[in-house]
Amino acid sequence: MASVGKKKFQTPHTYLIIFGIVILSWLLTMVVPAGKYSTEVLNYEGKNGETQSRVVLKENSFRYMYPVKEEVLKKELSELLSQDDLLLRLEVDRTGLADLLNKSDDITIDELASVGLEESELYDLYGNSIYDTSQKLHKTAKIWGTQDHNGFGFLNYVFEGLVTGDRYGSAVGIVALLLVVGGAFGIIMRTGAIDAGIYAFVSSAKGMEHLALPVIFFLFSFAGATFGASEQVIPFVMVIAPFCVALGYDSITAVTITFAASQIGNACSWMSPFSIAIAQGIAGLPALSGAGFRIIMWFVITSLSCAFMMRYAKKIHQNPQLSPSYHSDAFFRGNADLDKEKERPFLLGHKIILIELLLGLVWIVYGVMAADFSIPELASQFFVIGLIAGITALGCRLDGLTANDLAIAFKDGVSDLAPTAVVVGMAKGILLVLGGSDAGSFSTLNTILYSVGRLLSGIPSIFGAWFMYIFQSFFNLIVTSNSGQAALTMPIMAPLADIIGVSRQVAVLAFQLGSGFVDAFTPVSASLVGCLAAARIDWSNWAKFQVKMQGFLFLLGTVFIVIAIAIGYQ
């Protein structure tokens, strides 16, 4: 009787991971008391000389949520009623406050807020004297409920998370951006222009072996940096793997110059709507800001990574048997039809669409850097680029496309990114379970941040930022969705950056470097596994090479984080 083999471990879906975190977060609120900070508005000069403002934490203003000492509070408020100037300055409803003092029930902080007397103002006036500091209170959500019906319950985290925010940030604005961008790229991919361009280059590269690998590497790195190429790389690996083996290299080289290159580009991106735009939106930064530094970083890291890859490729070219994938590459070496690839025409319409796409990307960079375009403008730009590509495809009669075909392509593109959009809302729900991300409201999250801040207090800001980078790298071993990781971690990392004294731009930088590089290594990445399957490589063989490259990339990431802090990157 044949023995039944053990079932292979299956990595939980991102939705399951988030649901598990929601449950743990809810239980955590029962253990960790709620806390808050006082905040103030800081005015500063923008890049065009205009006055801008930002809400920041007041130093040493953290306190826990305590029960109110009713007798002390009523005594202080009674005295406050006689101070007309102070009531006027605080904009307190004198009549409403008097009515609260006359009622027989206890006065709550929420009732005081309704007459214009916020908790932060009470703390500024009386400190902890109005609180019973012997008992720290918890802020735990109900099991079920809505904001409008009996209060928020953690089982409603998906809906409540999706409807938070506004058109400029998390979660509503980012969800809308993802759906529009997905539809636009659905149209662009349906025209076949990107496929035809890549295949045309691969075909013409034969005879230029010394140039083919670095050019392909830079192309895919640019694709990762601009539109977050990931699973889109899989079909190209199917062509480039036999191409590389035919040139005397190996399939590991093929996956490196395609998928690994795209993730390096993604890690250094200055404009990806799926990673940096989401992270910056959650961190309260202008969408795609700080692009100049990131463009330089992308070029430097891509160049050095390409050199690292070429060193490996040269060694394999001299002795193919040194390759960890040497035996599996026998499939490609034994293929008698390597040089008889299917003809893929690169038509005039394809070329026009690629030129339009390039001009569109330049337009986006200009809008972000020079015109202060934000999420609404960015979504519209991508839509226009997709629309023009579709019109061009119809005019040039590419592949017999019809207007209905393009509409379906837009729908399919939206469908492809709808799961990612839901992740943004679900992850936002985690924050709601933890009490919200508002530093000026009592929440378990604020207490966690305060505790981590105290743990990191006194250490140089460089080490604090490095800790963020390490955390994001390890976190990406489990959650490989860049948008999902941004939604999960940036609400914690952004305010933590304020506490340890580094800019939020540096916190976003640590996120994107950690989440991007490790995507090319982690075995739970569906896109990586798909590319390895297309190249017939076992992950263990891939890891033998990639672990060395990951060490090299981690070193480069550390260097750029140090540089960012040294120059005061904002």
Side-chain angles (χ1 to χ4, degrees), residues 540-553:
S540 58
N541 289 331
W542 168 252
K544 291 176 183 177
F545 161 74
Q546 186 58 210
V547 70
K548 299 175 183 177
M549 190 171 197
Q550 284 296 315
F552 180 69
L553 293 173

Side-chain angles (χ1 to χ4, degrees), residues 301-360:
I301 291 183
T302 299
S303 299
L304 294 176
S305 301
C306 183
F308 184 94
M309 177 275 303
M310 288 300 296
R311 183 172 176 271
Y312 168 82
K314 182 179 180 181
K315 181 181 71 172
I316 298 303
H317 195 270
Q318 292 172 347
N319 186 358
Q321 294 186 8
L322 293 177
S323 169
S325 63
Y326 178 74
H327 294 294
S328 59
D329 287 346
F331 172 83
F332 300 115
R333 287 192 298 270
N335 189 345
D337 296 324
L338 275 177
D339 296 323
K340 299 178 182 179
E341 297 173 6
K342 182 180 178 181
E343 191 72 23
R344 298 176 185 271
F346 189 31
L347 305 176
L348 176 62
H350 294 143
K351 298 174 184 177
I352 294 174
I353 290 173
L354 290 179
I355 292 173
E356 292 170 348
L357 179 59
L358 177 61
L359 293 176

